[in-house]
């Protein structure tokens, strides 16, 4: 999944901490629910549950990310049976794993359980290849595939061999893996999967070493505009000249064979995968649901930098629906892919476009104003429809779409505004705020909402109590272990009841030794454990109407917890992408002494931050039963950092955990444009250049220079990057700060703006300026001159000007000679200026800047001539040009002595005119080698500018004796 920026990256995994789990079936604290609702833990002790399925016969199947499927006989079952263990085949690293689980409506008469998982092998190979351990799964080399299979059930266990229906979904990066499974009302099997592409860079198949390991078309090293790999796999069905992949697509399948289901819109296609696809253009459709009684598909598609989507396929047999990724995110074009000028996107922009999302929410905004939802990324996860009739929830929830965001830790209800209507995006309620890692939603028995708590290893339900609500029992015990005799203080005062009438009126019953005896009835109590052993202390709280709840805590007198010692890497260790970091640690116990390596468990996680201090977690790797090892620092966007966790557990189950933060070494990458102010892209960020991004040293970053683009009314075309890379290319972050400059050339030609028109002419006379040689010599000089007549220019009349040795005349003080040309218009000085050849020039010993006046009033002309001017950085180049200002406002630029080189013809010069505020300009060229000898650029007033007084003078009012200031 999308890890947000990055990673609002898809399935955002968190480490399982060493915590005491609430008693199954008891209320769970922390989550905020609407009045009358209460959350309860029904199953606990699971290892990263990803999917819940309620079988028609009352059994509950739960998939664990590592590859095991557990089955509970009913909601009261505390000891599940392992139905199947696919862990050898499942690649369980980062966001990959066993993610999809489904069974038909007539199960177990139709005795098949369907699974969708990441297969631990590249295309054409047999698992296990990676054994859940790629050195850096995010370096583009840890290539895996996806697998859809069915498992035959015999009672509570799988019988026979796994039947593979589809092997496909080449996945280069460790997120955007396979997705979800559902059966429709039509009895067909529906499946989704992500694009398998990078969540850090603009990925069109050019990444990895070797590049393009999935063999995406057209093959080999991928370059725009023809590249079709990476995230563009989600558009692959549109390129019919090559075999179709299934990444980023929605499939409708025959559940017996995995082939395309009858009635699919592309059922007549030659390619079998094309026939399977009913929707595509998704980034990471990690979870979806089907609206009850219909075949409507409602997808939660995890976004990149800006938008989370809920997409809807109204009729999967009517047409193939394209949701636009990566060309679109949300309802708008995805700038980073748009700027790469890729054919698959450009033809989508100019063609039918995308099917817009049904609903989107922005990463920077709350879904519901004032909600108490977490931050640190965005990852839309579970979806479930509440029944349109029946169920135990209030009528306002009939037909509602519940949807969750794993990263935000929230569940919302999008309710219909009219009975029987569709969920209304304007009628959303924050339903479960601060929920516990919701990775999957399901409606279970009694019409109650259940969710899989990936972080804490629980399955939870949300119940509605129309009358009296039960209390919540909360225990705090200090200490929970230690030498005997052990005196433990118990505190139940954090227990609560949501009913106001029961506030402060709970009764307490303590059983400190699990023998059924009530040992205390006060909110707090102390109990002495005289001998060693293990005891479960239970607190039961009861409200005034007899509703009760219990909670437990384990007490171990005669046993003290061990101490985990993390020896390496040491505090302050930093890393860059690709570094191999070694780790070592140990555990000591007061009773057992030095613990064996089998007592140690390591976890490595990435904290990926939206901003500094605003982070979500990706589980990267685990090691069990070892005292040392190593790992490769992964490629990732910044802000992010690693956490290495060591847990030591003694023989009685007490544990201690130590965590070491490992920060990356970072570097600033600046992208600039020449001229400044154009749009450039780094990864998912597009902005006006120059701008700087902080990245991790050694990280992979895609930079793009979109072309053409327009700024200030001038069209620009990309000519090259300072590192000689293509318009879109990958840069590996160096150890020291670096700047990458994209050079653009402005479009050549005359046009018109309010006040002036422009044209080119030949045959205009060269007017040599022989009267005055200005006191300009050397580099970067400017001087003020008096004008021989008031010069009209953009509605002002000027009596003085400043002449720069760098090839321009300004009617206002430019504040210096301004050697660096820019595109026009520009607010910065110079303004109110004429630019016959604005470049970094040098008035050498054999050069001069001269003025003269020709003609007689009212047809006088003021000439400024740069004769034989040198160019900074060259000792030989010489050019001559002039500006001729007529009394009637005409402006002419003339050129001579230009050779055929780009510099002398203007490839680093600005040619044009600009008004006094830097808001209106008429450019002829910017950084284009298009000037030629004896071709003049002529600017003529268009008569739209009102007459004006000379700047600094007063204009006489039509009323005698008055003046305009």
């Amino acid at each position: 999944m999308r890890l947000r920026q990055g990673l609002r990256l898809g399935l955002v995994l968190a480490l399982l901490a060493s915590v005491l789990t609430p008693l199954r079936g008891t209320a769970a604290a922390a989550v905020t629910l609407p009045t009358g609702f209460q959350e309860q833990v029904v199953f606990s002790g699971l290892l990263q549950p990803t999917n819940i399925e309620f079988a028609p016969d009352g059994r509950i199947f739960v998939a664990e990310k590592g590859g095991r499927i557990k089955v509970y006989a009913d909601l009261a079952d505390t000891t599940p049976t392992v139905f199947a263990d696919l862990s050898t085949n499942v690649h369980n690293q980062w966001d990959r794993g066993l993610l999809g689980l489904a069974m038909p409506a007539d199960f177990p008469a139709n005795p098949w359980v369907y699974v969708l998982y990441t297969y631990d092998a590249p295309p054409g190979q047999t698992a296990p290849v990676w054994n859940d351990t790629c050195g850096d799964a995010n370096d583009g080399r840890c290539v895996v595939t996806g697998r859809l299979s069915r498992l035959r059930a015999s009672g509570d266990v799988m019988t026979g061999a796994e039947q593979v229906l589809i092997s496909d979904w080449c996945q280069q990066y460790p997120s955007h893996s396979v997705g979800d499974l559902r059966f429709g009302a039509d009895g067909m099997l529906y499946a989704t999967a992500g694009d398998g592409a990078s969540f850090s860079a603009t990925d069109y198949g050019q990444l990895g070493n070797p590049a393009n390991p999935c063999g995406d078309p057209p093959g080999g090293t991928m370059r725009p505009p023809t590249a079709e790999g990476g995230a563009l796999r989600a558009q692959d069905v549109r390129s019919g000249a090559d075999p179709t992949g299934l990444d980023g697509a929605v499939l409708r399948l025959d559940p017996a064979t995995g082939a395309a289901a009858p009635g699919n819109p592309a059922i007549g296609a030659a390619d079998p995968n094309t026939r399977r696809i009913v929707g595509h253009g998704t980034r990471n459709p990690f979870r979806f649901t089907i609206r009850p009684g219909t075949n409507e598909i409602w997808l939660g598609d995890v976004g990149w930098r800006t938008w989370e989507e809920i997409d809807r396929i109204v009729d999967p047999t009517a047409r193939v629906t394209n949701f636009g990724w990566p060309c679109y995110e949300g309802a708008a074009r995805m700038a980073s892919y748009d700027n790469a000028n890729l054919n698959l996107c450009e033809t989508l922009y100019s063609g039918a476009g995308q099917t817009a999302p049904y609903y989107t929410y922005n990463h920077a905004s709350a879904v519901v104003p004032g909600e108490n939802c977490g931050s640190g990324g965005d990852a839309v996860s579970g979806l479930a429809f509440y029944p349109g009739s029946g169920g135990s929830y209030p009528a306002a929830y009939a037909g509602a779409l519940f949807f969750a965001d794993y990263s935000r830790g929230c569940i919302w209800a999008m309710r219909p505004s009219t009975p029987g209507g569709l969920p209304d995006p304007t009628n959303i309620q924050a339903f479960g705020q601060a929920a516990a890692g919701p990775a999957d939603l399901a409606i279970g028995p009694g019409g109650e909402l259940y969710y899989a708590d990936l972080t804490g290893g629980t399955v939870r339900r949300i119940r509605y109590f129309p009358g009296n609500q039960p209390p919540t029992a909360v225990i705090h015990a200090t200490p929970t272990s230690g030498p005997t005799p052990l005196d433990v203080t118990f505190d139940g005062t954090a227990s609560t009841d949501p009913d106001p009438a029961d506030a402060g009126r709970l009764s307490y019953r303590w059983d400190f030794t699990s023998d059924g005896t009530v040992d205390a009835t006060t909110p707090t109590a102390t109990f002495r454990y005289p001998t060693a052993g293990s005891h479960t202390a239970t607190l039961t709280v009861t409200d005034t109407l007899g509703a009760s709840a219990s909670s437990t805590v384990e007490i171990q007198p005669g046993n003290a917890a061990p101490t985990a010692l993390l020896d390496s890497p040491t505090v302050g260790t930093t890393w860059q992408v690709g570094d191999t970091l070694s780790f070592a640690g140990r555990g000591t116990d007061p009773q057992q002494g030095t613990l064996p390596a089998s007592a140690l468990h390591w976890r490595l996680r990435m904290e990926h931050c939206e901003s500094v201090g605003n982070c979500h977690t990706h589980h990267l790797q685990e090691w069990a039963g070892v005292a040392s090892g190593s790992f490769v620092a992964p490629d990732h966007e910044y802000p992010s950092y690693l956490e290495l966790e060591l847990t030591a557990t003694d023989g009685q189950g007490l544990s201690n955990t130590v965590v070491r933060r490992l920060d990356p070494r970072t570097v600033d990458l600046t992208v600039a444009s020449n001229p400044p102010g154009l749009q450039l892209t780094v990864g998912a960020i597009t902005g006006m250049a120059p701008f700087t991004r902080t990245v991790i040293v050694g990280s992979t970053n895609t930079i793009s220079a979109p072309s053409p683009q327009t700024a200030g009314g001038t069209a620009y075309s990309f000519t090259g990057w300072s590192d000689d890379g293509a318009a879109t290319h990958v840069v590996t972050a160096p150890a020291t700060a670096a700047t990458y400059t994209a050079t653009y050339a402005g479009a050549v030609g005359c046009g018109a703006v309010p006040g002036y028109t422009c044209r080119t002419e030949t045959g205009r006379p060269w007017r040599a300026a022989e009267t005055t040689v200005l006191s300009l010599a050397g580099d970067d000089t400017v001087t003020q001159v008096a004008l021989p007549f008031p010069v009209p220019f953009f509605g002002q009349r000027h009596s003085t000007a400043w002449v720069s040795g760098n090839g321009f005349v300004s009617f206002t003080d430019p504040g210096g000679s301004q050697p660096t040309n820019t595109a026009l218009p520009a607010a910065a000085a110079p303004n109110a200026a004429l630019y016959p050849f604005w470049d970094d020039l040098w008035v050498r010993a054999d050069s001069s800047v001269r003025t003269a006046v020709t003609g007689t009033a009212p047809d006088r002309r003021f000439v400024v001539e740069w004769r034989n001017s040198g160019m900074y950085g060259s000792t030989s180049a010489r050019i001559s040009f002039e500006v001729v200002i007529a009394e009637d406002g005409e402006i002419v630029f003339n050129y001579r002595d230009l050779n055929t080189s780009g510099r002398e013809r203007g490839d680093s010069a600005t040619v044009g005119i600009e008004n006094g505020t830097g808001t209106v300009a008429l450019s002829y060229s910017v950084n284009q080698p298009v000037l030629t000898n004896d071709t003049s650029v002529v600017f003529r007033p268009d008569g739209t500018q009102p007459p004006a007084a000379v700047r600094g003078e007063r204009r006489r009012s039509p009323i005698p004796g008055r003046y305009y200031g």
Side-chain angles (χ1 to χ4, degrees), residues 936-950:
S936 303
V937 183
V938 181
F939 300 89
R940 292 285 304 169
D942 64 3
T944 62
Q945 297 291 339
V950 178

Side-chain angles (χ1 to χ4, degrees), residues 460-481:
R460 301 175 179 230
R461 70 180 168 204
I462 298 175
R463 309 199 77 171
Y464 178 67
F465 297 90
N468 181 51
Q469 298 180 70
T472 299
V474 178
I475 297 179
H476 294 293
T478 307
T480 57
S481 63

Side-chain angles (χ1 to χ4, degrees), residues 744-761:
Y744 283 79
V748 178
C750 280
V753 294
Y756 285 90
T757 62
C758 168
R759 67 175 185 267
T760 57
E761 297 180 11

Side-chain angles (χ1 to χ4, degrees), residues 51 66 96 160 173 220 225 276 296 382 416 439 507 509 660 685 711 783:
N51 209 306
R96 296 166 170 173
Y173 285 89
R276 290 175 166 124
E296 289 182 21
S507 62
R509 289 180 297 150
R660 183 141 300 159
I685 302 299
T783 188

Side-chain angles (χ1 to χ4, degrees), residues 482-623:
T484 57
L486 182 66
D487 291 323
V488 180
T489 299
F490 293 93
D491 188 341
T493 57
S495 302
T496 59
D497 192 295
D499 297 310
D502 289 320
R505 302 181 66 192
L506 296 177
S507 62
Y508 299 80
R509 289 180 297 150
W510 295 94
D511 179 355
F512 299 129
T513 57
S514 304
D515 60 0
T517 301
V518 176
D519 297 311
T521 58
T522 53
T524 62
T526 300
F527 187 81
R528 170 168 286 190
Y529 294 88
T531 59
S534 180
H535 303 275
T536 299
T538 302
L539 168 65
T540 301
V541 293
T542 305
D543 68 12
T544 58
L545 295 180
S548 64
S550 297
S551 184
T552 64
V553 62
E554 193 75 13
I555 308 296
Q556 292 194 16
N559 184 33
T563 299
L565 300 168
L566 206 163
D567 298 320
S568 65
T570 57
V571 174
T573 297
T574 60
W575 53 273
Q576 69 181 54
V577 174
D579 281 353
T580 297
L581 280 73
S582 297
F583 62 85
R586 52 204 161 89
T588 62
D589 185 78
Q591 292 78 40
Q592 297 174 241
T594 300
L595 296 175
S598 59
L600 305 180
H601 193 101
W602 300 82
R603 296 180 176 95
L604 179 67
R605 55 181 174 255
M606 171 71 75
E607 294 295 332
H608 177 207
C609 308
E610 186 78 7
S611 57
V612 175
N614 181 13
C615 309
H616 58 251
T617 305
H618 291 267
H619 175 71
L620 306 188
Q621 205 165 342
E622 294 191 23
W623 301 266

Side-chain angles (χ1 to χ4, degrees), residues 72-86:
Y72 294 84
D74 51 40
L75 291 170
D77 189 359
T78 60
T79 55
T81 301
V82 176
F83 171 79
D85 187 347
L86 305 176

